[in-house]
Amino acid sequence: MADKLSYTYVIVGGGIAGVTCAETLNLLRTDPNDRILLLTESSLVKAVTNVVPLGKILNRFDVEEKSTGELASANNIDVLLDQLDTIESEKNLLKTVSGRCIQYRFVCLCTGARPKIIDKAKGNANVIGIRDTESVEEFRKRIDTASRLVVVGNGGIASELVYEVDGMEEIHWVIKDPYISSTFVDSGAATFFKERLNNKSGTEKTIYKRMRYTEQEETGAGNKRGAALGPDWHRAFDIQKHGDDASRNANKVTIHQSVEVEDILEISTGLKILLTDGTTIECDFVVSATGVVPATSWTGGCDRPFKLGPDGGLFVNWSMETSVKDIYAAGDVCYAGWEHAPHWFQMRLWTQARQMGAMAARSMAAKRAGEEIYQDFCFEMFNHATTLFGYQVVLLGRYNGQGLHDKYEVLLRMTPGLEYIKFVMVDGRLQGALLVGETGLEETCENLILNQLDLSPYGDDLLNPDIDIEDYFD
């Protein structure tokens, strides 16, 4: 057995939550004897870069792959390539799959989530999930020899995949909802996006020019769990089909709405997909992008059971503490078990992974120093910025009326091909906003949601294009 290691802080997981937690701890560290270890299964980790404030809370950022060596040298932390096996919380001890023993003062579990592959796949090698860099690489290999693709799912990854893939003869998009991209937008915005999906020949894709790292071949590499893709992930990959017959696939996307996959059959030419409405589709392979489940499979190896949320995530309080002493959790693996602010709710997104990772770091550092802290202001209001179908998309507060029990009204402004703005109002006060395009309204909407100003006197003029509400309310 390897020698016992000893660290003040051990962070498990090299995704956005884990790396943010480690980097934040490094900034907060006041005692040079406090040591930080990042335990990760992959030699590639995800780090947040190019943070651009869009408001008091809201930020837009990129997520870049970094080698573990680069992360360690830049942040004065140690990185160990290994996998968590068991936790002996009574002894403050972690054991890894390779047999290492790690003594800790605090642990933060940032093991993320794993893709939920559609039930009917039954381990079929021609059904792949897309969640991390490695799975995108697998997808890239397959499209060069394929002409017919089925995408199942209706979230951000599925939406961008359908929009960005080029050169396929047929793309079939199977969604269980009545309209596309329902994870993020309403039916009106979905119609707005559909115009771009059907007329994308005039749009140009910019590939990020940046350093790329590749995993070295390792025994059992297929069992590793890579970190989740970050925002605008598709811009970092060339997911176009190459070859003489490759062409832009405008108007070749068939959307199958309000259906699910009934069965998947193997045939001589590939796969036959049977949908619940009786439709059959023949294709070369299927991409399953149907959400994630918290990756807590190792928790059976803890000497004390963790309290879990209804979604199977590790139950944490507002300071990101789990039910087990000295163990914290952040990101997709956890369930936000505290009483939420009126305009905040949990969604497993890159933005919240970053915010939770930083909050966990602050909490552990404060506990170490015997100091009292308060929950970060970012948890006062749901906030997320991303890109869909080539547009910037900003989600604030209860942007789809979540939890308002249909007791709200909606104000809309749409300029085809340019912007889609939705305000969710209750009794004249703004509860949420969906901003598609370069609207410039992000900070104004933040302020109006947080201060709950009565906007009744302005009526429908609130979104009158002839009135600059940004100047009016700032």
Side-chain angles (χ1 to χ4, degrees):
M1 177 161 304
D3 292 337
K4 183 181 289 187
L5 305 173
S6 182
Y7 286 88
T8 313
Y9 307 102
V10 177
I11 298 95
V12 182
I16 296 172
V19 172
T20 300
C21 184
E23 291 179 329
T24 306
L25 279 170
N26 181 50
L27 292 173
L28 296 173
R29 178 167 45 186
T30 56
D31 186 340
N33 294 317
D34 284 353
R35 301 177 67 206
I36 303 168
L37 175 70
L38 181 69
L39 177 64
T40 174
E41 299 175 33
S42 172
S43 59
L44 299 175
V45 295
K46 298 290 193 296
V48 170
T49 61
N50 304 326
V51 178
V52 178
L54 298 178
K56 291 184 177 68
I57 298 176
L58 181 71
N59 292 294
R60 184 177 65 218
F61 56 85
D62 298 329
V63 172
E64 288 190 4
E65 284 180 347
K66 289 186 178 181
S67 69
T68 52
E70 182 185 1
L71 178 74
S73 60
N75 293 279
N76 193 27
I77 63 175
D78 291 341
V79 178
L80 178 62
L81 288 178
D82 208 335
Q83 185 175 341
L84 174 63
D85 184 29
T86 58
I87 304 174
E88 296 182 17
S89 64
E90 294 296 331
K91 300 177 181 177
N92 282 51
L93 191 69
L94 295 184
K95 291 183 179 178
T96 70
V97 169
S98 67
R100 292 181 176 92
C101 293
I102 307 170
Q103 198 77 47
Y104 65 83
R105 176 65 183 88
F106 299 104
V107 167
C108 187
L109 299 170
C110 303
T111 49
R114 53 183 173 80
K116 224 175 3 180
I117 303 295
I118 49 180
D119 294 336
K120 303 299 180 181
K122 299 174 184 175
N124 194 310
N126 288 317
V127 179
I128 65 172
I130 288 200
R131 168 70 178 166
D132 52 26
T133 304
E134 291 72 26
S135 57
V136 174
E137 294 291 352
E138 172 66 17
F139 174 77
R140 287 176 61 189
K141 293 175 189 173
R142 287 175 178 261
I143 60 175
D144 276 347
T145 57
S147 59
R148 302 164 302 167
L149 169 66
V150 171
V151 177
V152 184
N154 205 15
I157 288 179
S159 300
E160 282 305 303
L161 201 64
V162 169
Y163 177 66
E164 292 291 338
V165 172
D166 291 336
M168 305 294 285
E169 290 179 13
E170 297 176 25
I171 295 180
H172 294 268
W173 190 4
V174 178
I175 60 176
K176 65 180 181 180
D177 311 290
Y179 58 88
I180 65 173
S181 308
S182 65
T183 301
F184 291 138
V185 302
D186 59 13
S187 57
T191 302
F192 177 83
F193 286 147
K194 227 168 160 181
E195 290 298 312
R196 175 65 68 92
L197 182 62
N198 292 330
N199 299 282
K200 66 178 188 176
S201 56
T203 63
E204 289 296 325
K205 179 183 175 186
T206 302
I207 304 290
Y208 280 150
K209 303 293 184 185
R210 70 182 191 202
M211 186 68 75
R212 295 264 306 129
Y213 300 92
T214 56
E215 294 256 35
Q216 298 198 351
E217 291 292 326
E218 298 177 38
T219 304
N223 295 322
K224 292 204 302 278
R225 290 192 294 265
L229 296 166
D232 295 345
W233 63 273
H234 51 88
R235 292 177 61 190
F237 298 93
D238 178 5
I239 53 175
Q240 301 178 24
K241 181 176 178 178
H242 299 98
D244 295 338
D245 60 339
S247 60
R248 195 76 175 168
N249 69 337
N251 304 312
K252 293 182 183 177
V253 176
T254 303
I255 300 172
H256 303 267
Q257 300 170 182
S258 302
V259 295
E260 296 186 58
V261 174
E262 178 73 30
D263 207 354
I264 299 176
L265 305 173
E266 295 203 41
I267 57 176
S268 59
T269 56
L271 298 178
K272 179 182 283 188
I273 314 301
L274 176 63
L275 304 182
T276 50
D277 65 354
T279 301
T280 59
I281 308 166
E282 292 189 11
C283 67
D284 298 302
F285 72 104
V286 175
V287 171
S288 175
T290 49
V292 297
V293 291
T296 59
S297 57
W298 43 262
T299 54
C302 186
D303 57 355
R304 293 183 60 192
F306 286 94
K307 181 178 180 181
L308 302 179
D311 60 4
L314 299 175
F315 190 102
V316 295
N317 62 17
W318 66 264
S319 60
M320 311 309 297
E321 291 176 292
T322 70
S323 59
V324 179
K325 180 176 174 290
D326 297 332
I327 300 180
Y328 294 69
D332 288 357
V333 73
C334 74
Y335 170 78
W338 64 87
E339 183 178 348
H340 300 166
H343 298 103
W344 189 90
F345 55 91
Q346 184 179 10
M347 189 183 286
R348 286 181 167 83
L349 299 167
W350 322 292
T351 298
Q352 289 191 2
R354 176 175 179 254
Q355 293 166 344
M356 288 177 170
M359 186 69 226
R362 289 181 56 217
S363 297
M364 289 189 290
K367 188 68 128 349
R368 170 78 167 145
E371 298 172 352
E372 184 178 355
I373 62 165
Y374 299 95
Q375 189 176 42
D376 194 279
F377 188 61
C378 66
F379 295 100
E380 283 297 305
M381 181 181 67
F382 178 89
N383 57 99
H384 184 57
T386 188
T387 302
L388 288 174
F389 302 97
Y391 295 100
Q392 175 175 283
V393 177
V394 169
L395 311 172
L396 295 171
R398 300 189 177 274
Y399 62 91
N400 260 347
Q402 296 94 333
L404 299 179
H405 310 294
D406 295 329
K407 296 178 180 177
Y408 61 89
E409 61 177 339
V410 169
L411 296 181
L412 288 176
R413 184 172 94 202
M414 183 183 77
T415 307
L418 185 65
E419 65 179 12
Y420 181 93
I421 300 170
K422 178 176 79 169
F423 283 2
V424 176
M425 312 287 294
V426 173
D427 297 329
R429 291 171 169 81
L430 187 63
Q431 307 301 315
L434 166 63
L435 309 174
V436 180
E438 302 294 332
T439 67
L441 295 176
E442 297 85 9
E443 189 165 10
T444 298
C445 290
E446 270 191 355
N447 292 335
L448 292 176
I449 293 171
L450 290 169
N451 63 30
Q452 288 296 286
L453 184 68
D454 186 2
L455 304 172
S456 302
Y458 307 100
D460 292 343
D461 280 340
L462 198 59
L463 284 182
N464 186 329
D466 297 326
I467 298 175
D468 190 341
I469 67 167
E470 184 181 10
D471 287 343
Y472 195 87
F473 290 109
D474 285 352

